Every structure is written in structure tokens, then in C-alpha cells.
Amino acid sequence: MNRGSLEHLLRAAGGIGASMEADIVALDAPDLTDLVEGAIGERSMFHETFGYYAQAVGLDTAILPDGWDERLKSIQSPASSAVGLALDPVDLAVAKLAARREKDRPFVAALFAYRFADPAVVRARIQEVPAARLMAYGPTVSVLEGGLVRIMSSVQNHGRNGGP
């Protein structure tokens, strides 16, 4: 998703009356989550019209390193008063590694390949994920580091074969 698409989602979410994030979290109105999902979520008219959608999630969904909330980046479209807060790309990489979903691997690889996130900084941030948070969801620090190593290997191999 590009910045224009993200700003469009933000404008649409702001029209519903909530302040949102990229994986949309209604920080000031969690009761609007279902409304956001229905209005601009997967298989909505919005999705059919524009080809992208918002997925409403709760703050407890992602496994994030300590201090993530201090590194949020503000995003505001000039066409709307809605303000979004986006995760720092390194924190996002950690969350994607912790989710351990196959669909997230190419995304994290792209963060590295296009230098939005530095693998060494990601490795350091993995160490900052609260142990209790990891224990609650299953992965360990070594599992996250193993995922990082596998993705870095694929990025390096892809780069040797003419990729980004």
C-alpha cells in the first residue's frame, strides 16, 4: 500500500468519526471497530471500488517492543482532519516476525530490501519485546531471530539474482 492509499483509508476512517492507524485501531473509540470493518474492510464496497481495505484490530493484536508508542509517526491527509499514527517500520518488522505468518515474510523482506528497516536494529528491538508478551503468544526471542535470519537470507539471495 502506498502513502496515497493510506491517506485515503485515513480520510475514509476519519469520516466514520474515529482516529485510526494503518491496521486500523480506533484508539479513542474502540466501539467503532465493527463499523470501520463494515464500511472500509475486506469485501466492502470501499474494497471493491479501490482495491484495498482496512482491517480493524485491537491494541492487543500485535507483539511490539517496549517504546513502540513513543516512535509512532503521525500521518494526516491535507483533505481531512483525521490523524493516523503509523508504527515505526522497525517496530512493524518485529510485529510481523512475531506474527509468524507466511504472508508477512515478503513484506518484511521488502522493508529490508528497500532500506525502510535495518536488520541490525530489528534484531536489537526483538530483545526489547516484553517476555510476558512473548510467553502469552508463543514465540520466543530465538524464534523471532530465526525468522529474521531466514528473511535476510532470502533478501540476500534475491539481490544476487537481480532483485531489489
Side-chain angles (χ1 to χ4, degrees):
M1 179 173 302
N2 62 33
R3 184 175 174 111
S5 299
L6 181 59
E7 288 178 357
H8 185 223
L9 279 172
L10 182 59
R11 285 190 307 274
I16 295 169
S19 127
M20 304 294 170
E21 287 187 26
D23 240 356
I24 305 295
V25 175
L27 291 175
D28 59 353
D31 54 315
L32 292 178
T33 299
D34 289 339
L35 184 59
V36 168
E37 192 77 23
I40 60 176
E42 189 172 17
R43 292 190 285 278
S44 66
M45 181 62 74
F46 183 94
H47 181 199
E48 290 177 19
T49 302
F50 299 104
Y52 48 88
Y53 62 94
Q55 182 173 7
V57 297
L59 279 178
D60 61 343
T61 301
I63 296 175
L64 295 163
D66 284 337
W68 66 269
D69 52 339
E70 297 165 9
R71 293 184 289 271
L72 290 170
K73 310 291 185 211
S74 179
I75 298 175
Q76 184 170 12
S77 169
S80 171
S81 62
V83 176
L85 300 171
L87 285 174
D88 175 85
V90 173
D91 293 330
L92 181 57
V94 171
K96 296 292 188 183
L97 288 168
R100 297 178 294 159
R101 295 179 302 227
E102 187 61 38
K103 70 176 190 170
D104 292 330
R105 288 174 153 219
F107 180 82
V108 174
L111 287 175
F112 297 149
Y114 292 101
R115 294 179 170 71
F116 287 110
D118 180 338
V121 178
V122 172
R123 185 180 302 274
R125 291 252 179 100
I126 287 171
Q127 303 299 319
E128 298 172 10
V129 175
R133 191 88 171 117
L134 287 173
M135 287 175 51
Y137 287 91
T140 62
V141 166
S142 61
V143 166
L144 300 185
E145 288 177 336
L148 174 62
V149 168
R150 283 188 297 283
I151 290 172
M152 282 309 305
S153 175
S154 73
V155 168
Q156 290 167 349
N157 290 335
H158 193 111
R160 281 195 287 268
N161 296 324

